[in-house]
Amino acid sequence: MSDQIKHECGIVLIRLLKPLEYYQEKYGTWRYGLNKLYLLMEKQHNRGQDGAGAVNLKIDQPAGQKYFSRHRSNKANPIKDVFEKINEPFIKQQEKNPELLNDPIYAKEHLPFAGELYLGHLRYGTFGNHSIDYVHPVLRENNWRSRNLTLAGNFNLTNVDEIFQSLTELGQHPKDYTDTVTILENVGHFLDEENQLLFRKYKNEGKSNREISQCIEDELNIREILERSSRRWDGGYAIAGVVGHGDAFVTRDPWGIRPACYYADDEIVVVASERPVIQTAMNVRSVQVKELKPGHALIIKKNGKVTEELVRVPQTRRSCSFERIYFSRGSDRKIYEERKELGRLLAKTILEKVDYDIENTVFSYIPNTAETAFYGMMEGVRREMDQVKKQQILDMGSDIDADKLDKILSLEPRVEKIAIKDVKMRTFIADDDSRDDMVAHVYDVTYGIVKNGVDTLVIIDDSIVRGTTLKKSILRILDRLHPKKIIVVSSAPQIRYPDCYGIDMAKLKDFCAFAAAIELLNESGRTHIIDEVYKKCKEQQFLPKEEIVNHVKEIYRPFTAEQVSAKIAEMLRPEDIEAEVELVYQSVQNLHVACPDDNGDWYFTGDYPTPGGNKVVNTSFINFVEGNTGRAY
């Protein structure tokens, strides 16, 4: 993606089902689980570069000995920083007494991060606050092990205000007004209630306090806690948690918006945000990695029992299609095939745009994530051209000429690597303020490939959100090659509406499609539609979210997708370039053909899976009209 937007966060949960001695004997190190944690976090580093954190729990640690260990970082390379901190005590022990470092019994008793449960997190901060306090995992501490809770998640809630209010009505005083703190205190409240319920039960049976603590740890009902705490949650989430005595869980929203997969055998349970990272880390086949079902929780009890249990009634599946287009790693077999199909489905339209003149057309892509769609696009182009060649041969009839036949058969699309990404420059650009100054230097181009004033340059990107990089960098540098025309192709449809379930796409004014629609309304004398939509949004502002309708759809209604695309191209084309510019977007219909199992398309259609989505888009429109730069949720 040429535009910079935030990704989804990444989670990792690992539960070792055997004693540490088992892994020392079989794999040569008791750090087997810790090594897997590092590998799984590194393999998901694309999901978070604002921060990283890791927690370890030692199960059945004696009283008075620390059983939770945690490190978090918001430095430039947070995973590296976290694991350097984790490894410090091991390095010291290696220098002092290497034999004890390799003793799993000693390690569990004396060294941090020598335990059976690991929870890791990679953060992209949608709130724009990079303070260490916002980095997961977050802790809720207590002197009773079964009341200690640590959470990490990939989530955004649209109704933090409602949940926060419910907590204050209970008499709580949460330390911050964020979805992270709100969920932590929300789950923590029902964890406390479950503890108290069991305490009263066993107290009435005449058990001692020490006996009661053990009974609570054995019988704590994690499913009930999650069911009660998540009733009000409106949003997309995959949330992992560890309770201090040794229970662990991962729960997923009932619409399946946010992803979570797991693998379990008799040695280990692994949960991560993406399937292929588990395949790689554990060296297992894709069929062995299961998707956590929407509305369910994977629950791992202290005794090692693993169950997948219903927490909330599953709704119509609306898993995020952006995961397929861009966010998730393309090494997943299905995602790879879907991205190729997105490219293939664009081939006929592109050939029509260049009038099938592939002799004077150069095909390329914007690295790096559009590469797979590019392969699919070229397969589609070749397939279409095979039909053209076949017809040309048939048209020759009996008058077959060897030279003409050679010319027809030699007709092949010209495929070149035109744009070259400067990776170091790209990672340097961390904030919006400095981005505009540096963005023109993110890409270099390959000179001498395009015929001056003759060739059309077709270049595919996986999506176009703001169009900032296109206008300030890509179109200018491509124009240096002197093509007659530049056609920029997006394998995703026009992004028209804000996301409120995890991605940092909350402001309507940032979307080039929205800006184009507003400009079209102004040019066609229909500004009254803007005023009418604003009025309707204001009238709904304080209604319950379940009663709110997405009126922002009316902004786009007067225009075809092609009209909006043409206006985007006009607005993004720099005045100082010579080439004509055209934009081609994927259709929503073709998106669903390519990604049939992941039809969460609210950013393209405005059809939000939860009531809170409609509230967010209307609030975002109100903010746009009123010039308010604040968040819509």
Side-chain angles (χ1 to χ4, degrees):
M1 179 184 288
S2 55
D3 286 316
Q4 183 189 41
I5 67 172
K6 302 293 189 181
H7 296 210
E8 311 297 341
C9 296
I11 57 172
V12 177
L13 186 140
I14 294 174
R15 170 66 153 90
L16 300 177
L17 299 176
K18 307 282 188 183
L20 295 185
E21 301 96 281
Y22 173 89
Y23 305 95
Q24 181 70 36
E25 182 177 343
K26 182 171 180 178
Y27 298 105
T29 175
W30 59 261
R31 284 181 275 183
Y32 175 78
L34 185 59
N35 293 340
K36 296 297 183 188
L37 177 71
Y38 174 73
L39 182 56
L40 285 158
M41 289 179 70
E42 276 289 1
K43 288 295 181 182
Q44 292 186 108
H45 74 269
N46 58 298
R47 302 189 72 89
Q49 295 171 19
D50 291 338
V55 159
N56 173 248
L57 173 71
K58 301 171 186 278
I59 297 176
D60 286 331
Q61 191 78 330
Q65 293 190 24
K66 189 174 180 180
Y67 51 94
F68 262 129
S69 299
R70 177 177 65 156
H71 285 305
R72 297 180 295 171
S73 174
N74 57 358
K75 291 187 177 179
N77 192 336
I79 299 175
K80 178 174 179 286
D81 187 46
V82 164
F83 279 88
E84 282 179 352
K85 292 174 183 174
I86 290 172
N87 282 315
E88 278 178 15
F90 306 151
I91 294 170
K92 290 178 181 177
Q93 187 63 51
Q94 176 74 29
E95 294 171 350
K96 187 167 42 175
N97 191 330
E99 289 185 9
L100 287 178
L101 176 62
N102 294 320
D103 182 344
I105 297 174
Y106 175 87
K108 183 169 179 179
E109 290 177 353
H110 296 94
L111 297 176
F113 279 86
E116 298 84 359
L117 250 170
Y118 295 94
L119 179 59
H121 187 259
L122 300 123
R123 178 176 188 266
Y124 262 118
T126 55
F127 275 88
N129 191 318
H130 303 310
S131 163
I132 194 69
D133 294 333
Y134 288 80
V135 178
H136 298 193
V138 289
L139 274 170
R140 190 176 191 264
E141 296 181 279
N142 195 286
N143 266 354
W144 278 265
R145 291 192 304 194
S146 58
R147 291 178 185 244
N148 273 274
L149 177 67
T150 182
L151 290 180
N154 170 17
F155 62 89
N156 260 359
L157 300 184
T158 69
N159 63 332
V160 173
D161 52 346
E162 290 180 19
I163 303 166
F164 188 89
Q165 181 66 28
S166 71
L167 292 174
T168 58
E169 288 173 359
L170 290 168
Q172 285 197 23
H173 193 85
K175 65 180 182 179
D176 208 342
Y177 185 74
T178 65
D179 51 4
T180 299
V181 170
T182 302
I183 282 189
L184 178 66
E185 295 301 334
N186 186 214
V187 177
H189 167 74
F190 289 103
L191 176 64
D192 287 345
E193 279 203 347
E194 177 73 8
N195 269 269
Q196 194 60 35
L197 185 69
L198 291 171
F199 180 85
R200 290 196 197 101
K201 173 187 172 184
Y202 291 116
K203 196 68 173 176
N204 291 338
E205 293 178 7
K207 294 185 183 294
S208 70
N209 287 353
R210 185 183 290 271
E211 290 173 324
I212 291 173
S213 290
Q214 186 60 53
C215 289
I216 290 172
E217 293 184 1
D218 292 340
E219 296 197 24
L220 202 67
N221 191 332
I222 298 296
R223 189 205 64 77
E224 177 73 16
I225 293 166
L226 293 173
E227 180 185 3
R228 295 177 69 197
S229 58
S230 67
R231 283 173 186 166
R232 293 177 181 265
W233 296 355
D234 184 291
Y237 55 84
I239 298 172
V242 175
V243 185
H245 67 281
D247 285 356
F249 64 86
V250 179
T251 187
R252 190 179 181 199
D253 67 80
W255 301 272
I257 296 171
R258 298 273 67 86
C261 296
Y262 70 94
Y263 166 79
D265 58 25
D266 62 346
E267 292 182 359
I268 194 170
V269 181
V270 176
V271 187
S273 295
E274 299 183 29
R275 181 189 305 270
V277 301
I278 299 177
Q279 287 182 246
T280 300
M282 302 308 301
N283 192 25
V284 294
R285 297 168 59 197
S286 62
V287 294
Q288 295 173 275
V289 182
K290 298 178 181 179
E291 179 187 12
L292 179 57
K293 293 191 285 288
H296 286 66
L298 186 74
I299 298 171
I300 310 154
K301 293 295 291 180
K302 175 186 174 182
N303 62 12
K305 182 182 178 183
V306 182
T307 57
E308 187 175 357
E309 301 187 35
L310 181 68
V311 172
R312 291 182 65 185
V313 176
Q315 303 296 309
T316 302
R317 183 184 173 95
R318 297 297 304 280
S319 44
C320 173
S321 57
F322 241 124
E323 287 281 355
R324 322 302 289 185
I325 298 166
Y326 173 60
F327 292 129
S328 293
R329 292 171 68 91
S331 53
D332 182 282
R333 179 179 59 85
K334 280 191 68 179
I335 290 175
Y336 181 80
E337 291 172 352
E338 288 168 6
R339 289 181 183 172
K340 284 186 73 175
E341 185 65 13
L342 286 167
R344 270 193 293 265
L345 290 168
L346 287 160
K348 186 173 177 62
T349 300
I350 294 164
L351 284 170
E352 290 171 353
K353 293 289 184 183
V354 300
D355 198 26
Y356 286 82
D357 180 16
I358 64 169
E359 288 184 272
N360 297 308
T361 303
V362 175
F363 296 90
S364 193
Y365 62 94
I366 297 174
N368 292 333
T369 54
E371 188 172 0
T372 305
F374 174 73
Y375 293 147
M377 180 179 75
M378 296 319 301
E379 283 184 11
V381 167
R382 291 188 177 96
R383 196 176 297 169
E384 289 289 327
M385 290 308 301
D386 283 345
Q387 296 303 312
V388 172
K389 292 178 187 179
K390 182 194 295 185
Q391 189 58 52
Q392 288 178 347
I393 293 170
L394 289 172
D395 289 345
M396 286 170 38
S398 59
D399 187 25
I400 295 178
D401 181 282
D403 290 338
K404 288 180 181 179
L405 191 59
D406 285 341
K407 185 177 181 181
I408 292 170
L409 294 175
S410 66
L411 198 61
E412 279 292 315
R414 295 163 60 196
V415 175
E416 305 290 351
K417 187 167 184 177
I418 295 294
I420 303 162
K421 191 174 184 181
D422 189 331
V423 177
K424 292 181 181 178
M425 183 69 71
R426 184 69 175 89
T427 55
F428 170 78
I429 302 168
D431 61 86
D432 290 340
D433 293 335
S434 60
R435 179 176 170 76
D436 285 350
D437 294 333
M438 303 297 294
V439 74
H441 304 285
V442 171
Y443 293 92
D444 292 323
V445 286
T446 304
Y447 292 96
I449 300 297
V450 176
K451 290 178 287 187
N452 291 357
V454 174
D455 285 342
T456 294
L457 181 55
V458 175
I459 191 155
I460 189 169
D461 197 354
D462 44 34
S463 59
I464 302 167
V465 186
R466 303 180 182 96
T468 306
T469 310
L470 274 178
K471 184 167 186 171
K472 294 181 178 292
S473 176
I474 292 172
L475 291 174
R476 279 197 168 95
I477 64 171
L478 294 179
D479 190 60
R480 295 175 196 161
L481 304 176
H482 306 293
K484 178 181 71 175
K485 184 177 183 180
I486 301 168
I487 300 177
V488 181
V489 182
S490 171
S491 66
Q494 295 168 4
I495 297 168
R496 298 181 166 196
Y497 303 93
D499 181 73
C500 50
Y501 305 123
I503 310 171
D504 185 24
M505 297 197 304
K507 297 175 183 178
L508 278 166
K509 70 179 184 64
D510 290 342
F511 305 144
C512 56
F514 178 77
I518 293 294
E519 188 65 20
L520 286 169
L521 288 173
N522 290 330
E523 290 176 354
S524 61
R526 300 176 187 176
T527 54
H528 64 277
I529 293 177
I530 301 172
D531 298 331
E532 289 167 5
V533 171
Y534 173 69
K535 182 181 178 182
K536 290 176 182 178
C537 291
K538 289 294 283 187
E539 287 172 350
Q540 295 187 116
Q541 196 168 13
F542 300 106
L543 290 177
K545 63 182 184 299
E546 290 76 14
E547 299 178 22
I548 295 177
V549 176
N550 179 2
H551 289 296
V552 181
K553 289 183 178 183
E554 297 171 31
I555 295 294
Y556 298 96
R557 197 161 288 151
F559 313 111
T560 65
E562 289 72 22
Q563 287 175 305
V564 175
S565 294
K567 179 53 67 175
I568 296 171
E570 180 186 321
M571 295 172 70
L572 294 184
R573 182 183 182 275
E575 293 181 1
D576 56 348
I577 72 170
E578 296 178 1
E580 180 187 346
V581 174
E582 186 170 0
L583 261 61
V584 174
Y585 281 91
Q586 187 71 264
S587 70
V588 174
Q589 293 77 14
N590 279 347
L591 170 69
H592 293 319
V593 170
C595 309
D597 299 324
D598 300 86
N599 59 4
D601 61 2
W602 52 90
Y603 1 75
F604 313 123
T605 64
D607 297 330
Y608 289 91
T610 77
N614 291 333
K615 180 180 179 181
V616 167
V617 68
N618 283 5
T619 303
S620 186
F621 187 77
I622 291 169
N623 288 347
F624 163 73
V625 173
E626 295 180 352
N628 182 356
T629 59
R631 289 173 56 84
Y633 60 99

mmCIF file of all heavy atoms in Angstrom, residues 422 424-426 428-443 469 472-473:
data_model
loop_
_atom_site.group_PDB
_atom_site.id
_atom_site.type_symbol
_atom_site.label_atom_id
_atom_site.label_comp_id
_atom_site.label_asym_id
_atom_site.label_seq_id
_atom_site.Cartn_x
_atom_site.Cartn_y
_atom_site.Cartn_z
ATOM 1 N N ASP A 422 12.281 2.585 -1.545
ATOM 2 C CA ASP A 422 13.421 2.829 -0.659
ATOM 3 C C ASP A 422 12.980 2.461 0.746
ATOM 4 O O ASP A 422 12.353 3.245 1.446
ATOM 5 C CB ASP A 422 13.839 4.299 -0.725
ATOM 6 C CG ASP A 422 15.150 4.550 0.010
ATOM 7 O OD1 ASP A 422 15.437 3.807 0.968
ATOM 8 O OD2 ASP A 422 15.877 5.480 -0.364
ATOM 9 N N LYS A 424 14.519 1.956 3.607
ATOM 10 C CA LYS A 424 15.024 2.742 4.736
ATOM 11 C C LYS A 424 14.288 4.062 4.868
ATOM 12 O O LYS A 424 13.939 4.509 5.949
ATOM 13 C CB LYS A 424 16.529 2.988 4.571
ATOM 14 C CG LYS A 424 17.360 1.723 4.703
ATOM 15 C CD LYS A 424 18.849 2.038 4.552
ATOM 16 C CE LYS A 424 19.677 0.773 4.658
ATOM 17 N NZ LYS A 424 21.112 1.035 4.467
ATOM 18 N N MET A 425 14.033 4.697 3.741
ATOM 19 C CA MET A 425 13.313 5.965 3.769
ATOM 20 C C MET A 425 11.895 5.759 4.273
ATOM 21 O O MET A 425 11.364 6.535 5.041
ATOM 22 C CB MET A 425 13.289 6.573 2.372
ATOM 23 C CG MET A 425 12.625 7.933 2.297
ATOM 24 S SD MET A 425 13.594 9.199 3.141
ATOM 25 C CE MET A 425 14.967 9.355 2.014
ATOM 26 N N ARG A 426 11.277 4.642 3.852
ATOM 27 C CA ARG A 426 9.886 4.376 4.227
ATOM 28 C C ARG A 426 9.750 4.180 5.730
ATOM 29 O O ARG A 426 8.823 4.695 6.349
ATOM 30 C CB ARG A 426 9.395 3.116 3.497
ATOM 31 C CG ARG A 426 7.933 2.788 3.731
ATOM 32 C CD ARG A 426 7.073 3.825 3.065
ATOM 33 N NE ARG A 426 5.666 3.472 3.163
ATOM 34 C CZ ARG A 426 4.876 3.818 4.157
ATOM 35 N NH1 ARG A 426 5.348 4.490 5.172
ATOM 36 N NH2 ARG A 426 3.587 3.484 4.147
ATOM 37 N N PHE A 428 11.684 5.322 7.988
ATOM 38 C CA PHE A 428 12.051 6.545 8.710
ATOM 39 C C PHE A 428 10.835 7.430 8.945
ATOM 40 O O PHE A 428 10.738 8.120 9.946
ATOM 41 C CB PHE A 428 13.108 7.306 7.911
ATOM 42 C CG PHE A 428 13.387 8.694 8.451
ATOM 43 C CD1 PHE A 428 14.179 8.876 9.571
ATOM 44 C CD2 PHE A 428 12.841 9.809 7.836
ATOM 45 C CE1 PHE A 428 14.437 10.149 10.059
ATOM 46 C CE2 PHE A 428 13.096 11.085 8.316
ATOM 47 C CZ PHE A 428 13.893 11.250 9.429
ATOM 48 N N ILE A 429 9.900 7.410 7.991
ATOM 49 C CA ILE A 429 8.756 8.314 8.079
ATOM 50 C C ILE A 429 7.769 7.764 9.087
ATOM 51 O O ILE A 429 7.038 6.824 8.810
ATOM 52 C CB ILE A 429 8.074 8.484 6.714
ATOM 53 C CG1 ILE A 429 9.082 9.010 5.709
ATOM 54 C CG2 ILE A 429 6.871 9.406 6.798
ATOM 55 C CD1 ILE A 429 8.606 8.956 4.297
ATOM 56 N N ALA A 430 7.740 8.337 10.256
ATOM 57 C CA ALA A 430 6.945 7.779 11.335
ATOM 58 C C ALA A 430 5.722 8.600 11.677
ATOM 59 O O ALA A 430 4.763 8.084 12.208
ATOM 60 C CB ALA A 430 7.817 7.627 12.594
ATOM 61 N N ASP A 431 5.717 9.904 11.380
ATOM 62 C CA ASP A 431 4.572 10.719 11.772
ATOM 63 C C ASP A 431 4.133 11.584 10.600
ATOM 64 O O ASP A 431 4.868 11.845 9.655
ATOM 65 C CB ASP A 431 4.918 11.590 12.977
ATOM 66 C CG ASP A 431 6.059 12.540 12.669
ATOM 67 O OD1 ASP A 431 5.791 13.631 12.139
ATOM 68 O OD2 ASP A 431 7.223 12.178 12.959
ATOM 69 N N ASP A 432 2.878 12.023 10.684
ATOM 70 C CA ASP A 432 2.283 12.754 9.570
ATOM 71 C C ASP A 432 2.971 14.092 9.295
ATOM 72 O O ASP A 432 3.021 14.553 8.162
ATOM 73 C CB ASP A 432 0.793 12.998 9.852
ATOM 74 C CG ASP A 432 -0.001 11.697 9.787
ATOM 75 O OD1 ASP A 432 0.506 10.742 9.168
ATOM 76 O OD2 ASP A 432 -1.098 11.641 10.362
ATOM 77 N N ASP A 433 3.493 14.745 10.339
ATOM 78 C CA ASP A 433 4.101 16.061 10.164
ATOM 79 C C ASP A 433 5.331 16.003 9.258
ATOM 80 O O ASP A 433 5.515 16.836 8.368
ATOM 81 C CB ASP A 433 4.494 16.644 11.532
ATOM 82 C CG ASP A 433 3.277 16.960 12.376
ATOM 83 O OD1 ASP A 433 2.191 17.185 11.791
ATOM 84 O OD2 ASP A 433 3.402 16.982 13.609
ATOM 85 N N SER A 434 6.190 15.023 9.497
ATOM 86 C CA SER A 434 7.411 14.926 8.692
ATOM 87 C C SER A 434 7.180 14.171 7.387
ATOM 88 O O SER A 434 7.976 14.256 6.465
ATOM 89 C CB SER A 434 8.513 14.216 9.486
ATOM 90 O OG SER A 434 8.103 12.914 9.835
ATOM 91 N N ARG A 435 6.068 13.469 7.320
ATOM 92 C CA ARG A 435 5.798 12.630 6.156
ATOM 93 C C ARG A 435 5.736 13.429 4.858
ATOM 94 O O ARG A 435 6.328 13.045 3.848
ATOM 95 C CB ARG A 435 4.479 11.875 6.371
ATOM 96 C CG ARG A 435 4.107 10.984 5.194
ATOM 97 C CD ARG A 435 2.837 10.200 5.514
ATOM 98 N NE ARG A 435 2.348 9.526 4.332
ATOM 99 C CZ ARG A 435 2.888 8.428 3.834
ATOM 100 N NH1 ARG A 435 3.946 7.905 4.414
ATOM 101 N NH2 ARG A 435 2.390 7.853 2.761
ATOM 102 N N ASP A 436 5.021 14.548 4.852
ATOM 103 C CA ASP A 436 4.841 15.318 3.626
ATOM 104 C C ASP A 436 6.167 15.818 3.056
ATOM 105 O O ASP A 436 6.339 15.906 1.843
ATOM 106 C CB ASP A 436 3.918 16.513 3.881
ATOM 107 C CG ASP A 436 2.461 16.080 4.010
ATOM 108 O OD1 ASP A 436 2.180 14.903 3.719
ATOM 109 O OD2 ASP A 436 1.636 16.915 4.399
ATOM 110 N N ASP A 437 7.115 16.140 3.935
ATOM 111 C CA ASP A 437 8.410 16.646 3.482
ATOM 112 C C ASP A 437 9.247 15.560 2.813
ATOM 113 O O ASP A 437 10.064 15.834 1.938
ATOM 114 C CB ASP A 437 9.193 17.231 4.662
ATOM 115 C CG ASP A 437 8.522 18.460 5.237
ATOM 116 O OD1 ASP A 437 7.794 19.140 4.476
ATOM 117 O OD2 ASP A 437 8.712 18.733 6.428
ATOM 118 N N MET A 438 9.066 14.322 3.257
ATOM 119 C CA MET A 438 9.943 13.243 2.819
ATOM 120 C C MET A 438 9.309 12.284 1.817
ATOM 121 O O MET A 438 9.995 11.514 1.167
ATOM 122 C CB MET A 438 10.391 12.422 4.044
ATOM 123 C CG MET A 438 11.081 13.247 5.122
ATOM 124 S SD MET A 438 12.627 13.985 4.537
ATOM 125 C CE MET A 438 13.598 12.519 4.266
ATOM 126 N N VAL A 439 7.971 12.353 1.668
ATOM 127 C CA VAL A 439 7.256 11.324 0.935
ATOM 128 C C VAL A 439 7.662 11.257 -0.541
ATOM 129 O O VAL A 439 7.570 10.198 -1.164
ATOM 130 C CB VAL A 439 5.729 11.541 1.082
ATOM 131 C CG1 VAL A 439 5.259 12.714 0.238
ATOM 132 C CG2 VAL A 439 4.966 10.284 0.731
ATOM 133 N N ALA A 440 8.118 12.356 -1.105
ATOM 134 C CA ALA A 440 8.488 12.366 -2.527
ATOM 135 C C ALA A 440 9.699 11.485 -2.817
ATOM 136 O O ALA A 440 9.993 11.196 -3.970
ATOM 137 C CB ALA A 440 8.772 13.801 -2.976
ATOM 138 N N HIS A 441 10.415 11.048 -1.784
ATOM 139 C CA HIS A 441 11.640 10.276 -1.999
ATOM 140 C C HIS A 441 11.496 8.808 -1.613
ATOM 141 O O HIS A 441 12.487 8.093 -1.533
ATOM 142 C CB HIS A 441 12.783 10.911 -1.195
ATOM 143 C CG HIS A 441 12.992 12.356 -1.519
ATOM 144 N ND1 HIS A 441 13.594 12.779 -2.680
ATOM 145 C CD2 HIS A 441 12.630 13.482 -0.850
ATOM 146 C CE1 HIS A 441 13.629 14.109 -2.706
ATOM 147 N NE2 HIS A 441 13.036 14.547 -1.608
ATOM 148 N N VAL A 442 10.265 8.371 -1.381
ATOM 149 C CA VAL A 442 10.053 6.996 -0.951
ATOM 150 C C VAL A 442 10.324 6.000 -2.084
ATOM 151 O O VAL A 442 10.771 4.894 -1.855
ATOM 152 C CB VAL A 442 8.605 6.826 -0.406
ATOM 153 C CG1 VAL A 442 8.289 5.365 -0.170
ATOM 154 C CG2 VAL A 442 8.441 7.629 0.875
ATOM 155 N N TYR A 443 10.037 6.389 -3.320
ATOM 156 C CA TYR A 443 10.198 5.488 -4.460
ATOM 157 C C TYR A 443 11.219 6.039 -5.458
ATOM 158 O O TYR A 443 11.309 7.242 -5.671
ATOM 159 C CB TYR A 443 8.868 5.281 -5.186
ATOM 160 C CG TYR A 443 7.844 4.535 -4.364
ATOM 161 C CD1 TYR A 443 6.941 5.221 -3.566
ATOM 162 C CD2 TYR A 443 7.782 3.143 -4.390
ATOM 163 C CE1 TYR A 443 6.000 4.536 -2.809
ATOM 164 C CE2 TYR A 443 6.844 2.455 -3.647
ATOM 165 C CZ TYR A 443 5.962 3.155 -2.855
ATOM 166 O OH TYR A 443 5.039 2.478 -2.113
ATOM 167 N N THR A 469 0.600 9.734 -1.213
ATOM 168 C CA THR A 469 1.852 9.292 -1.833
ATOM 169 C C THR A 469 1.748 9.323 -3.349
ATOM 170 O O THR A 469 2.722 9.626 -4.032
ATOM 171 C CB THR A 469 2.223 7.886 -1.343
ATOM 172 O OG1 THR A 469 2.166 7.865 0.079
ATOM 173 C CG2 THR A 469 3.615 7.504 -1.786
ATOM 174 N N LYS A 472 2.072 13.232 -4.217
ATOM 175 C CA LYS A 472 3.318 13.894 -3.843
ATOM 176 C C LYS A 472 4.557 13.158 -4.343
ATOM 177 O O LYS A 472 5.633 13.735 -4.370
ATOM 178 C CB LYS A 472 3.385 14.060 -2.325
ATOM 179 C CG LYS A 472 2.328 15.014 -1.772
ATOM 180 C CD LYS A 472 2.471 15.155 -0.269
ATOM 181 C CE LYS A 472 1.446 16.155 0.279
ATOM 182 N NZ LYS A 472 1.726 17.522 -0.155
ATOM 183 N N SER A 473 4.395 11.890 -4.708
ATOM 184 C CA SER A 473 5.583 11.126 -5.061
ATOM 185 C C SER A 473 5.412 10.295 -6.325
ATOM 186 O O SER A 473 6.046 10.562 -7.345
ATOM 187 C CB SER A 473 5.969 10.209 -3.894
ATOM 188 O OG SER A 473 7.061 9.385 -4.239
#
